[in-house]
Amino acid sequence: MYTVTILNNGEWVAPGTVIYLHAFGRHDPVKIVQNFFLVQGRGHTILIDTGIDNLEGYLTEEQIRRCVSAPSRTTEALLRQAGVAPEDVDTLILTHLHFDHYINARLFPNARIILNRREWLYVLMPENKRYAPRVGFPREAFGWLANEAWERLELVDGEVEVLPGIRVIWTGGHSPGHQMVTVETAQGIVIIPGDEIYMYENLEADIPIGYYYNFENVVAAMDLIRGMDAIVLPAHDPKVHELYPSSKIG
Ligand SMILES: [Zn+2]
């Protein structure tokens, strides 16, 4: 069994058309948070996605004034607060290669790094440059994965149990090689859906996300999440912190 700790870099804002499919008419900016997840148990220290530092640097002053109530926290500071040094992390699972989920991968010198094969290949192929422009897909971390972290990089396909009680499941809706993660805890199964849903409302009101690669796979992922009857921890919904004020499950 594992415990899952929700780490939150802080508050952020996203266009409504990213969070909700355009046709539903929810276009106003949406206040979001930037969560990533520390999983501990069975002698392992596992991180799911990397968080991102200096969230304010990605916002306008107007957005900061309207949406941000406290300064953002760095990934390293959050980990140290939880009693974990970056070098302690033995497994880093990346749900997908969008910058807010991978950009801090370089903090972890000892982790095996688990990534879907399709996700890795897709962002590296020059013919996909219109999918992965530099601004949203900073390549320094890709270079690091292909160089310093090469021996530790594990590409997976489909559904794989990466450690006993921890599975990655390819979903491929939000991005080509997007994967969700499930974790067995004393409170039941936890699903970390990555960005297949941004908000609980995507599931509850049945509104798919607006930023997707394959729409049918987004809808299939929503059905899969719903069918699992598990604790769902979205990466960007502030409501996670109301539902789990201790930030700990298991
Ligand atoms: Zn994403």
Side-chain angles (χ1 to χ4, degrees):
M1 293 290 183
Y2 298 92
T3 61
V4 178
T5 306
I6 307 162
L7 304 175
N8 175 12
N9 295 113
E11 293 159 312
W12 222 9
V13 65
T17 45
V18 165
I19 304 297
Y20 305 108
L21 190 70
H22 177 78
F24 286 81
R26 304 279 300 275
H27 303 160
D28 290 342
V30 178
K31 188 170 163 171
I32 61 171
V33 292
Q34 181 64 38
N35 295 326
F36 59 109
F37 305 90
L38 173 66
V39 180
Q40 292 165 295
R42 298 180 188 250
H44 289 286
T45 303
I46 303 137
L47 206 62
I48 302 173
D49 291 338
T50 70
I52 181 170
D53 301 340
N54 183 28
L55 289 176
E56 293 88 344
Y58 300 87
L59 295 175
T60 64
E61 289 198 359
E62 162 75 6
Q63 288 172 324
I64 293 171
R65 203 167 52 246
R66 282 187 23 215
C67 293
V68 178
S69 63
S72 67
R73 302 162 287 266
T74 67
T75 288
E76 182 166 355
L78 290 165
L79 282 170
R80 291 203 187 274
Q81 221 170 56
V84 172
E87 50 272 23
D88 298 339
V89 174
D90 59 68
T91 309
L92 171 63
I93 301 173
L94 299 175
T95 59
H96 64 298
L97 293 178
H98 286 173
F99 76 108
D100 51 321
H101 296 258
Y102 72 78
I103 198 163
N104 276 334
R106 286 166 287 181
L107 285 174
F108 307 103
N110 300 318
R112 61 189 276 236
I113 299 165
I114 294 162
L115 177 62
N116 179 276
R117 185 184 317 279
R118 178 134 197 245
E119 190 76 352
W120 176 239
L121 297 177
Y122 201 88
V123 299
L124 294 182
M125 286 194 285
E127 62 259 42
N128 296 328
K129 64 188 175 195
R130 285 155 294 192
Y131 167 85
R134 264 177 198 280
V135 60
F137 294 75
R139 304 217 180 111
E140 292 75 10
F142 297 161
W144 178 85
L145 286 167
N147 190 16
E148 286 92 334
W150 186 249
E151 302 293 333
R152 298 184 277 119
L153 185 59
E154 289 181 30
L155 301 179
V156 296
D157 303 290
E159 181 171 345
V160 180
E161 187 166 39
V162 295
L163 283 169
I166 300 183
R167 308 183 83 84
V168 295
I169 304 169
W170 173 82
T171 50
H174 176 65
S175 66
H178 186 288
Q179 56 189 359
M180 303 197 304
V181 186
T182 64
V183 181
E184 286 174 15
T185 76
Q187 284 173 251
I189 301 277
V190 165
I191 300 181
I192 288 153
D195 284 353
E196 293 294 3
I197 59 165
Y198 286 113
M199 314 296 268
Y200 289 109
E201 195 186 356
N202 292 120
L203 276 188
E204 289 160 4
D206 215 12
I207 304 177
I209 55 172
Y211 180 4
Y212 61 83
Y213 170 78
N214 181 306
F215 183 72
E216 288 178 17
N217 288 343
V218 170
V219 172
M222 291 167 78
D223 290 342
L224 183 65
I225 296 165
R226 249 191 227 107
M228 286 181 80
D229 189 29
I231 295 170
V232 182
L233 301 179
H236 295 295
D237 192 341
K239 207 171 149 196
V240 175
H241 300 285
E242 292 165 32
L243 292 172
Y244 305 100
S246 74
S247 296
K248 228 175 194 139
I249 289 113

